[in-house]
Amino acid sequence: MLTFFKLMGRLPLPLLHALGWGLGWLIWLLGATYRRRWREHTAQAQLGPRARWASVGAAGQQMAELARIWFGAPVPLRWDGAEHIEAVLRQRHGLLFLTPHLGCFELTAQAYAQRFGSQALADGSPAQPLTALYRPPRVAALHPVLQAARQRPGLRTAPTDLSGVRLLLKALKQGQAVGLLPDQVPPAGMGVWAPFFGRSAYTMTLAARLAQVPGTQVLLIWAERLSWGRGYVVRVRPWLDLVDAPLAPEPLAAAAQINQAMQAVIGHCPAQYLWGYARYKGPRGEGAGGGSAGSAASGAAASGTASSG
């Protein structure tokens, strides 16, 4: 498996994206459950036709590009908002990155590690490594692939268990950076039901807990895929640029705000969100949150609508 990924990583990015586009449509055509979930989620978000249909091929591109991101030559990328990262690092504050399952989310950690995690800033401020939360793959054969892919200077990984949470907390207290995907469904007892595009979704409370570590600054980050294999734009935005209030201390209100922030990020390039991801499932031991999000949480953060882009 590792050899296959390394060979695929040698292919040009335009070719991988072309193959991925076809793969996305093949999976959509053959996967009845996936197709039904995609229809429900894109309808829930009121996605426009252009972005809705483009998301089918984009999901396949996200899969096909991984080999190049992990094992191939560096891909073309540019930064939009890197000054926000530099400002936090100069202050020696802990830095929390939040990103949804959007675009090439694997690239965001690598891009940070290369620019900020393994070398000092221009003003002499020391490099600060990134500790990223990763869920181990369910397929055993992928373990050595991911282990090899994520071993690079300036990047550390933390498992999705209590030991991983301790690593994240320790990194923030030391003024380092951590990153996670807050739209990932957490285990039972580690989340609350909060609105996401107007429907209750089981949402992790970990992101809010990390944000409350004294001195921690929150930045929203995503890697937008450019057309025709031209590379990526890594975009960074401060929390208050996309959410109209600081993060609340209460878990339910904070989860709703974080979902609101993820909606705002997704709205920048909705065709590149993984709409087939089982976002509204609940873990074992947690009852369904219901279809409508007309709860107290929805009052804390009104749900948005992704544009057609």
Side-chain angles (χ1 to χ4, degrees), residues 131-163:
T131 303
L133 186 69
Y134 285 114
R135 175 174 291 173
R138 296 179 180 178
V139 181
L142 287 177
H143 279 274
V145 175
L146 296 183
Q147 186 176 15
R150 291 167 176 163
Q151 287 182 343
R152 57 190 67 221
L155 178 60
R156 304 166 182 169
T157 59
T160 51
D161 55 26
L162 289 178
S163 67

Side-chain angles (χ1 to χ4, degrees), residues 5 7-8 17 34 43 100 114 117 123 151 178 236 240 266 279:
F5 272 93
L7 290 174
M8 289 289 292
H17 280 174
Y34 171 81
Q114 181 180 11
D123 66 351
Q151 287 182 343
V178 305
V236 183
L240 291 177
I266 293 166
R279 180 65 186 92

Side-chain angles (χ1 to χ4, degrees), residues 59-126:
Q61 290 178 324
Q62 190 275 327
M63 298 172 61
E65 69 195 1
L66 286 178
R68 176 64 183 271
I69 300 301
W70 287 340
F71 301 111
V75 295
L77 69 85
R78 62 181 175 87
W79 286 83
D80 172 26
E83 67 274 10
H84 301 302
I85 299 176
E86 295 171 352
V88 176
L89 294 182
R90 289 193 186 100
Q91 297 170 7
R92 310 293 177 87
H93 287 166
L95 177 53
L96 173 62
F97 287 110
L98 302 179
T99 184
H101 288 80
L102 179 76
C104 187
F105 49 88
E106 280 280 344
L107 183 60
T108 57
Q110 293 189 13
Y112 172 90
Q114 181 180 11
R115 178 163 177 173
F116 301 103
S118 57
Q119 57 186 355
L121 300 183
D123 66 351
S125 298

Side-chain angles (χ1 to χ4, degrees), residues 10-25:
R10 297 179 181 178
L11 296 179
L13 190 60
L15 177 58
L16 287 171
H17 280 174
L19 294 173
W21 187 269
L23 176 64
W25 277 99

Side-chain angles (χ1 to χ4, degrees), residues 23 54 171 217 275:
L23 176 64
Q217 303 292 313
W275 295 105

